[in-house]
Amino acid sequence: MLKTYKIKVAGQVQGVGFRPYVYTLATKFNLKGTVSNNQEGVLIYVTGIKENIEQFYTKLIYFPPPVANIHKSEIIEIEYCLFDGFQIISSNKNGQLNLPLTPDFAICDDCKNEIENPENKRLNYPFTTCVNCGPRFSVTENFPFERSNTSIHNFLMCDDCKEEYTNPANRRFHSQTNTCSTCGIELVLINAEGITIKTSKNTVFQKVASLLQEGNIVAIKNTSGYLLCCNGENTEVIQKLREKKHRPKKPFAVLFPSLKKLQKEFFISEKEIESLTSKESPITIISSKNYNGNLALNEITPNLNQLGVLLPYTGILQLLANELNFPIVATSGNIHGSPIISENDEAFEKLENVADYFLQHNLKITHPQDDSVVKYSANFQQKILFRRSRGFAPNYFGATIQTTEKILAMGADLKSSFAFYPNSYLYVSQYLGNLENFDVYNRYTTEIKSFINIFEQQPEVILVDKHPLYHSSKYGKELAKKTSSKLVEIQHHKAHFSAILGEHNLFEEKVLGVVFDGTGFGDDTQIWGGEFLSYANNRIDRIAQIENFDWILGDKMAKEPRLSLFSLASDEMIDVLVQKFTSTELKNYSYLKKSNQLKASSASRLFDAIASLLNITNNNSYEGEAAILLENKIESYQLKNCKSYLNSTDTISGSEIISAIYKEIQQGNSAENMIANFLFTLATSILKMAKKHQFKHIACSGGVFQNSTLVDMLLELAPKEIKLYFHKELAPNDENISFGQLMYYLHIKN
């Protein structure tokens, strides 16, 4: 007897080839019916033999398409319906959107093979995609995910593409991003004067490769934004790029033509290979110790023993890579500090004095995104996300949320992101940058407005950081007033702690939170940044901190590590200070220090002070430089040879640590040993704090926990009875503040 069932599938099921997969599977099981996208996911009606329907459903749920992510499904029998075959029908949006937004996917092997195959019609077509790969979020204008709701709707499919789109046997069956060289997106190469360089689709990448070989800087419009590229083996052009981009020392990422070529020059771990070749394809930071190849390593990563590498993840980059026999610098297309550029006119306006040539196309990018950045610790291969953007954004899965309120969390300022909970899903935006930059602020507010429009939901609750001068907080307050939303201020480090609690669903446990970062506005109006927090029974309390020291000259302190040293130095260290300050500076700063009332517990400034004391750097040219250089001084360490610089187990005294290191410098100890001892001091102090307060769970958040050596030390030192938690799906830095604000609001009652 024939029966009819209605099946609902929710999750990341749009833009992933789900409907074509359902069609093929239903045909295999001799079922009739329909499949469509709607505002909540995928809706299926099937009529057939009950046993076949059950087998179909089991196969569908347990073996979905490769890039799908099913969160929930249901199947119910309904009144018998007669269908004429099985059909994919147009999406029917009957309400507000309630499903994940699909992230961008790296080019799949099948599409790579096609663009390299002389017998394939997509030979050398850089925008080749299928149901398993290609841009999604970056071209999304609205949902459900249909071609008409993306910027690709401007390109009408030719007859060949339509045939693929309507052919159930074809990999591009209902592929919403389907185009080819006949009907699709067009590339153009121009020089800095705006003159078009004549090329064909078969020669354009040869020409770009030649220009790179000759020492030119080329701005390449990728599918999620511009990249500035140059020859990674040419020291002069890299220095030229640094000068023009206003990025004197911050490391560049390097694109290698293939994994094989990368492995010829560097050792890559299995975890790193998985990362580089994943559907997200982030920049992956690897060790560059003992490198002796042709890469201009000192110019690419000044004074560092690590390198951010990536592999081609779009057709554009793959076709360029096919013409290269050398790695290229591939850094965000912007002036340092500004957001990644995605518009052709803006690129030419802002980068005409940076790039010698522009490789542009006419596909509109609606949600520009930087490349994501990942690192794995050397000893334990602990995943650390440095930047969460392309490939990961804008969804966040795994958080337990039970509320009907529509919540918008505004995040922080330095590494801004926002989190939006308008329905049954949580959305955490891509990394957006420092809101002090006017263009970044505009991008941030534009993205927030875009999300509100896509979901057709105004927030009912808006969460902001307690810092009264944060641009994110000011905008949140304006928006709350405009929308009559409830406004809640949340302390910065409690948001950090709530983020790691939320990521690991620890709200039923007693947990020690260790939040080490740069600065945050404390509940006592002082500067926090080295906090020990306790969580139990929906309460967060501050139980200890890095011992306070003087905070002088405001934000300048974060830019000049020598000022942190000055604040923490004892009188006996005047011989060090006179080498770093003029007599006038010493006099003025000493006066400020004596009259100062503002105190700080910042862990990051402690790292800065040690970097200055060891003459690693006195000035930061980019955020976190001192801490990165500090870690990079460590080639290896043996825990049995490490010692703590603290006598007390009750607190972490920065001045005591500085004094101990000063004495060891006089004794001729190596910088590597002293840095290892410093990190060992922090790690043992954390574990002693847990023991003192009888915690079995330690959750770590804040930018300091991007230090992979510290993470490895903690993992090695922790006794079996203590469980450590680190961020893996979110960055430890301020990118997680928006998520943490939301978790705090939902779970913390004090």
Side-chain angles (χ1 to χ4, degrees):
M1 183 179 175
L2 299 180
K3 294 181 176 291
T4 301
Y5 284 81
K6 177 182 179 181
I7 299 170
K8 294 180 181 179
V9 186
Q12 189 173 286
V13 291
Q14 293 191 15
V16 297
F18 206 89
R19 289 179 299 169
Y21 180 76
V22 168
Y23 179 98
T24 303
L25 203 60
T27 304
K28 178 181 176 182
F29 284 100
N30 198 28
L31 303 177
K32 296 180 179 181
T34 64
V35 58
S36 63
N37 287 337
N38 66 9
Q39 69 278 0
E40 296 185 339
V42 172
L43 179 63
I44 306 165
Y45 292 96
V46 285
T47 295
I49 298 171
K50 182 180 180 182
E51 182 181 352
N52 287 1
I53 293 174
E54 290 173 347
Q55 291 178 6
F56 160 81
Y57 181 70
T58 300
K59 180 85 171 177
L60 179 67
I61 302 307
Y62 290 101
F63 301 95
V67 289
N69 191 337
I70 296 174
H71 293 161
K72 60 183 178 181
S73 64
E74 66 175 42
I75 179 170
I76 56 172
E77 185 177 356
I78 61 173
E79 185 178 343
Y80 174 78
C81 295
L82 178 65
F83 294 99
D84 183 16
F86 197 91
Q87 293 181 313
I88 296 176
I89 59 175
S90 299
S91 297
N92 186 17
K93 183 173 179 288
N94 292 318
Q96 291 161 323
L97 188 65
N98 188 20
L99 79 168
L101 299 179
T102 310
D104 290 6
F105 301 119
I107 186 171
C108 68
D109 290 339
D110 288 331
C111 286
K112 280 184 190 177
N113 292 334
E114 287 179 342
I115 64 177
E116 296 169 0
N117 182 359
E119 297 180 0
N120 193 283
K121 79 165 189 170
R122 285 188 171 81
L123 174 67
N124 293 327
Y125 180 59
F127 303 96
T128 296
T129 64
C130 68
V131 294
N132 297 319
C133 70
R136 299 293 192 271
F137 178 53
S138 60
V139 297
T140 293
E141 294 178 338
N142 213 324
F143 259 72
F145 192 82
E146 296 283 357
R147 191 184 189 93
S148 59
N149 288 330
T150 72
S151 57
I152 294 177
H153 80 271
N154 294 312
F155 303 91
L156 299 177
M157 283 186 282
C158 64
D159 290 342
D160 284 347
C161 285
K162 283 180 182 176
E163 195 281 328
E164 292 173 330
Y165 184 85
T166 55
N167 181 359
N170 195 286
R171 195 174 81 256
R172 294 188 174 86
F173 184 42
H174 275 261
S175 172
Q176 305 305 320
T177 56
N178 192 28
T179 59
C180 73
S181 56
T182 301
C183 62
I185 304 151
E186 297 176 350
L187 277 178
V188 61
L189 179 64
I190 63 174
N191 63 19
E193 287 72 47
I195 300 170
T196 301
I197 310 300
K198 290 185 179 180
T199 59
S200 69
K201 71 170 186 176
N202 295 322
T203 62
V204 62
F205 290 103
Q206 292 174 9
K207 181 62 177 177
V208 173
S210 175
L211 292 170
L212 291 168
Q213 175 74 66
E214 292 166 6
N216 292 288
I217 298 170
V218 183
I220 298 175
K221 186 179 181 183
N222 205 13
T223 54
S224 54
Y226 273 85
L227 294 173
L228 283 167
C229 301
C230 68
N231 187 340
E233 297 176 352
N234 185 325
T235 58
E236 290 183 7
V237 74
I238 296 168
Q239 287 296 350
K240 177 182 168 186
L241 177 58
R242 286 201 173 281
E243 291 167 10
K244 295 194 169 194
K245 189 175 161 70
H246 304 156
R247 185 168 165 168
K249 292 182 181 178
K250 189 175 182 181
F252 286 137
V254 175
L255 175 76
F256 275 79
S258 67
L259 179 61
K260 186 177 180 181
K261 289 182 179 179
L262 176 58
Q263 287 178 303
K264 278 186 177 180
E265 300 200 22
F266 295 93
F267 170 77
I268 312 291
S269 72
E270 286 300 317
K271 286 281 189 183
E272 289 163 347
I273 291 172
E274 284 179 25
S275 173
L276 287 163
T277 57
S278 67
K279 66 181 184 296
E280 295 86 8
S281 293
I283 294 169
T284 303
I285 299 173
I286 64 171
S287 172
S288 59
K289 294 175 184 176
N290 305 316
Y291 178 75
N292 60 1
N294 295 325
L295 200 61
L297 211 55
N298 290 334
E299 286 71 28
I300 294 169
T301 57
N303 304 314
L304 298 181
N305 57 22
Q306 61 184 20
L307 174 69
V309 298
L310 69 161
L311 297 176
Y313 58 85
T314 63
I316 295 170
L317 296 180
Q318 185 62 57
L319 288 170
L320 176 58
N322 293 347
E323 304 297 334
L324 296 171
N325 57 10
F326 54 90
I328 60 171
V329 167
T331 186
S332 296
N334 57 7
I335 301 299
H336 184 53
S338 297
I340 187 170
I341 294 169
S342 62
E343 297 287 347
N344 294 350
D345 291 344
E346 183 187 7
F348 194 76
E349 175 192 343
K350 294 183 177 178
L351 301 177
E352 65 173 331
N353 294 320
V354 180
D356 302 302
Y357 294 88
F358 294 79
L359 183 63
Q360 301 183 327
H361 59 74
N362 58 340
L363 173 65
K364 181 176 179 172
I365 298 169
T366 54
H367 297 281
Q369 302 161 81
D370 290 276
D371 291 322
S372 296
V373 182
V374 171
K375 184 180 181 181
Y376 291 87
S377 67
N379 295 346
F380 288 89
Q381 294 287 283
Q382 177 73 29
K383 179 183 176 183
I384 304 171
L385 201 55
F386 278 53
R387 185 165 69 201
R388 182 183 179 276
S389 196
R390 177 192 52 78
F392 296 100
N395 304 312
Y396 180 82
F397 302 130
T400 302
I401 299 178
Q402 294 179 331
T403 182
T404 58
E405 290 182 303
K406 318 301 180 187
I407 307 170
L408 176 62
M410 307 303 290
D413 261 24
L414 185 58
K415 294 182 180 294
S416 62
S417 73
F418 62 87
F420 193 28
Y421 184 73
N423 46 46
S424 301
Y425 293 94
L426 173 60
Y427 309 89
V428 179
S429 77
Q430 70 272 36
Y431 157 84
L432 292 162
N434 185 350
L435 297 182
E436 286 289 337
N437 182 288
F438 180 72
D439 291 334
V440 173
Y441 179 79
N442 282 342
R443 176 72 53 81
Y444 170 83
T445 57
T446 298
E447 283 291 296
I448 288 174
K449 291 171 186 174
S450 174
F451 273 58
I452 289 172
N453 289 336
I454 286 173
F455 295 106
E456 299 173 329
Q457 293 278 13
Q458 291 290 342
E460 299 167 342
V461 180
I462 293 179
L463 312 175
V464 300
D465 193 282
K466 268 194 172 180
H467 198 303
L469 300 181
Y470 269 7
H471 296 286
S472 56
S473 298
K474 289 179 179 178
Y475 181 64
K477 290 172 183 178
E478 291 172 11
L479 196 58
K481 189 174 182 180
K482 181 179 177 181
T483 59
S484 300
S485 299
K486 176 182 176 182
L487 180 73
V488 180
E489 294 182 338
I490 296 169
Q491 199 280 324
H492 189 88
H493 299 90
K494 292 177 181 179
H496 265 306
F497 187 21
S498 299
I500 190 72
L501 290 171
E503 185 169 342
H504 292 277
N505 289 309
L506 293 172
F507 291 108
E508 301 301 318
E509 307 291 343
K510 178 187 175 186
V511 186
L512 172 65
V514 185
V515 183
F516 286 177
D517 67 354
T519 63
F521 187 77
D523 285 339
D524 56 2
T525 73
Q526 301 295 325
I527 304 295
W528 290 12
E531 312 309 310
F532 291 95
L533 306 170
S534 72
Y535 170 81
N537 301 318
N538 304 105
R539 280 188 60 89
I540 290 178
D541 295 292
R542 189 190 195 204
I543 59 173
Q545 66 191 80
I546 291 177
E547 191 175 88
N548 273 336
F549 52 90
D550 288 297
W551 185 268
I552 55 176
L553 294 169
D555 290 342
K556 191 175 182 181
M557 199 165 179
K559 298 173 182 176
E560 297 186 24
R562 65 181 189 142
L563 291 174
S564 295
L565 176 61
F566 181 86
S567 177
L568 287 160
S570 61
D571 292 340
E572 66 177 345
M573 296 170 61
I574 188 65
D575 61 315
V576 174
L577 298 180
V578 295
Q579 298 173 30
K580 300 178 185 294
F581 297 92
T582 67
S583 58
T584 302
E585 284 176 328
L586 282 174
K587 182 181 177 180
N588 291 338
Y589 295 167
S590 295
Y591 174 78
L592 285 174
K593 189 174 176 180
K594 285 179 183 177
S595 60
N596 177 63
Q597 298 296 314
L598 187 60
K599 305 294 182 180
S601 59
S602 170
S604 294
R605 300 295 78 81
L606 179 55
F607 276 77
D608 285 354
I610 293 169
S612 179
L613 179 59
L614 294 175
N615 288 321
I616 292 171
T617 186
N618 290 312
N619 295 277
N620 285 330
S621 67
Y622 58 91
E623 196 261 329
E625 180 179 8
I628 294 170
L629 292 173
L630 203 68
E631 181 183 10
N632 271 264
K633 284 289 184 182
I634 301 178
E635 293 288 329
S636 61
Y637 66 89
Q638 294 290 330
L639 278 184
K640 63 182 181 181
N641 298 328
C642 294
K643 66 177 182 180
S644 174
Y645 286 136
L646 294 174
N647 294 318
S648 171
T649 60
D650 294 331
T651 187
I652 298 174
S653 168
S655 57
E656 186 179 346
I657 292 170
I658 291 292
S659 293
I661 293 175
Y662 173 68
K663 290 173 183 175
E664 291 212 344
I665 292 172
Q666 294 176 317
Q667 295 166 8
N669 197 1
S670 72
E672 182 177 6
N673 287 340
M674 288 184 280
I675 296 165
N677 287 340
F678 166 56
L679 296 177
F680 179 82
T681 301
L682 293 182
T684 52
S685 297
I686 289 168
L687 294 170
K688 286 175 182 176
M689 189 68 67
K691 183 177 180 181
K692 176 183 177 181
H693 293 276
Q694 299 182 325
F695 285 98
K696 300 297 182 184
H697 301 275
I698 304 175
C700 302
S701 189
V704 165
F705 291 101
Q706 290 180 169
N707 186 305
S708 59
T709 306
L710 176 59
V711 169
D712 271 345
M713 278 190 179
L714 278 166
L715 289 167
E716 191 171 349
L717 286 166
K720 290 182 180 178
E721 64 270 18
I722 287 183
K723 176 75 173 172
L724 291 164
Y725 301 89
F726 301 100
H727 291 289
K728 290 193 293 184
E729 305 306 321
L730 297 166
N733 60 45
D734 280 6
E735 286 181 46
N736 74 50
I737 289 293
S738 60
F739 174 74
Q741 289 168 342
L742 194 141
M743 290 294 102
Y744 182 98
Y745 176 75
L746 292 175
H747 295 281
I748 309 304
K749 306 305 179 189
N750 66 312

